[in-house]
Amino acid sequence: MIGWFTVCSAMLAGMAWACETQFAFAGQAPPHCSVVGDLDVRSFTSRVFHNTRMLRVWLPPGYKNPDQRSERYPVMYLNDGQDLFDVCTSIFSAQEWRVDETATALIQSGKIPPLIIVGIDNAGKRDRPKEYLPFPDDTLKPPVLRVRGKDYPKFLLDEVMPFINREYRTDPDPAKTGLGGSSYGAGIALYIVMKHPRRFGKLLLESPSLYAHDNYLLREADRFARWPDKLFIGVGSINEPVDDVHRLRDTLRRQGLGIQRLSVVEQPGAAHNEEAWAQRFPRALQFLYSRPTDQ
């Protein structure tokens, strides 16, 4: 959001957050900085991209209890980690996905099992397209001609996931491992799933950007068959890729994915932003992680 900037520090020992927000415009109310539950923020340096970012690891209620020390947990990896848990770290607007609030409520109500959610920070506004696009997007202004999205699977599968599996009590079973994102972050998630089948059992695509390189991702989907066990696709109606989502939905249905494996939610009046993705996230998380009899 233009006109304000945020300085947040994580006190990792207690998982408490202290955020100071300064505004350039008088009279503008600051956002409420908050994280529900334990958010472990780890600095992570990539050999693939030669940069450093944060991994935001949300731990479920009870994770640190002594009687749970042998418990292993399903994992959900989400791109654009800055925008998931706290409005004060969001880099595009004063909005967040409310991942922590949603996951806490669903776990405490028994609608989903306890799980770990890993937010992978993007490389910043300028470099985000470089990492998320396997091919250039001709619509970008200014154009980004040199992209590295083809390297993102190696970054995720060979660097991030082994680190998380070493540091936290994950259940590395692909059937219990999810991947997702929004916009470009959804596009690269789809790319990874198609390039490395059977590594993820759950896929979340919010407002997916699928059009770059002459609809490469949609054309690949037409030829792909080894889909995750469950897919959730969400889209709004305001400046959203509705036609592309319809094409992907039709492809998946034609390949035999029924209502037990595929959920496509169209939200009238919703735009291409974190608020819309937050509104759909409870339904997405419950569809992807609850038992079939609980849906």
Side-chain angles (χ1 to χ4, degrees):
M1 180 176 181
I2 298 174
W4 63 270
F5 65 93
T6 306
V7 178
C8 292
S9 62
M11 295 159 37
L12 297 181
M15 295 300 114
W17 280 80
C19 298
E20 178 184 353
T21 305
Q22 300 183 7
F23 284 77
F25 302 113
Q28 185 175 3
H32 178 63
C33 306
S34 67
V35 173
V36 174
D38 288 334
L39 185 67
D40 198 356
V41 183
R42 307 288 295 269
S43 178
F44 186 81
T45 299
S46 169
R47 296 183 302 275
V48 172
F49 290 124
H50 303 288
N51 58 20
T52 300
R53 76 196 69 218
M54 296 299 179
L55 301 180
R56 304 174 190 272
V57 186
W58 185 85
L59 303 173
Y63 180 89
K64 295 182 179 178
N65 292 351
D67 60 350
Q68 299 294 322
R69 288 177 179 171
S70 62
E71 187 76 16
R72 293 196 168 271
Y73 298 86
V75 187
M76 182 82 180
Y77 293 89
L78 293 173
N79 294 318
D80 291 317
Q82 299 100 313
D83 303 337
L84 302 177
F85 303 102
D86 193 339
V87 67
C88 290
T89 62
S90 182
I91 66 172
F92 290 107
S93 67
Q95 299 174 330
E96 52 153 316
W97 280 46
R98 300 196 292 273
V99 166
D100 44 334
E101 290 90 345
T102 295
T104 298
L106 291 177
I107 291 169
Q108 290 181 341
S109 65
K111 294 180 179 179
I112 63 172
L115 79 160
I116 295 169
I117 300 177
V118 180
I120 306 168
D121 277 17
N122 61 53
K125 288 183 179 180
R126 185 184 65 179
D127 290 334
R128 178 177 180 265
K130 295 180 183 178
E131 291 189 354
Y132 285 174
L133 284 170
F135 302 97
D137 178 356
D138 295 336
T139 69
L140 278 180
K141 296 180 180 180
V144 178
L145 301 179
R146 300 182 64 182
V147 295
R148 296 195 60 191
K150 291 181 179 179
D151 294 326
Y152 201 84
K154 182 175 179 62
F155 162 71
L156 175 62
L157 298 172
D158 295 348
E159 292 190 325
V160 173
M161 291 175 64
F163 173 80
I164 295 297
N165 289 335
R166 286 194 308 268
E167 296 291 314
Y168 301 93
R169 300 196 309 275
T170 63
D171 184 341
D173 182 355
K176 297 181 180 179
T177 305
L179 176 63
S182 60
S183 194
Y184 281 162
I188 194 62
L190 178 60
Y191 177 83
I192 292 170
V193 163
M194 291 192 294
K195 290 298 181 181
H196 298 271
R198 309 308 187 199
R199 295 297 301 269
F200 297 93
K202 307 169 193 302
L203 178 62
L204 168 60
L205 305 177
E206 279 291 354
S207 306
S209 296
L210 308 174
Y211 53 84
H213 198 58
D214 190 26
N215 295 316
Y216 170 84
L217 292 173
L218 288 170
R219 290 187 286 109
E220 284 296 295
D222 286 337
R223 297 187 288 265
F224 189 74
R226 292 173 291 175
W227 294 104
D229 295 333
K230 288 190 175 183
L231 290 83
F232 182 96
I233 307 173
V235 69
S237 62
I238 301 174
N239 298 322
E240 282 276 78
V242 178
D243 290 342
D244 289 346
V245 166
H246 287 174
R247 177 174 166 181
L248 180 59
R249 176 202 62 195
D250 293 344
T251 292
L252 296 169
R253 287 177 176 174
R254 188 168 58 251
Q255 295 179 359
L257 277 69
I259 60 173
Q260 293 297 323
R261 293 185 60 193
L262 173 65
S263 177
V264 180
V265 174
E266 296 186 48
Q267 185 179 1
H272 195 87
N273 57 35
E274 289 80 9
E275 178 63 26
W277 303 327
Q279 291 173 3
R280 296 192 290 265
F281 190 64
R283 187 168 176 179
L285 199 59
Q286 190 170 350
F287 175 78
L288 292 171
Y289 281 91
S290 63
R291 295 182 298 273
T293 54
D294 292 338
Q295 295 173 15

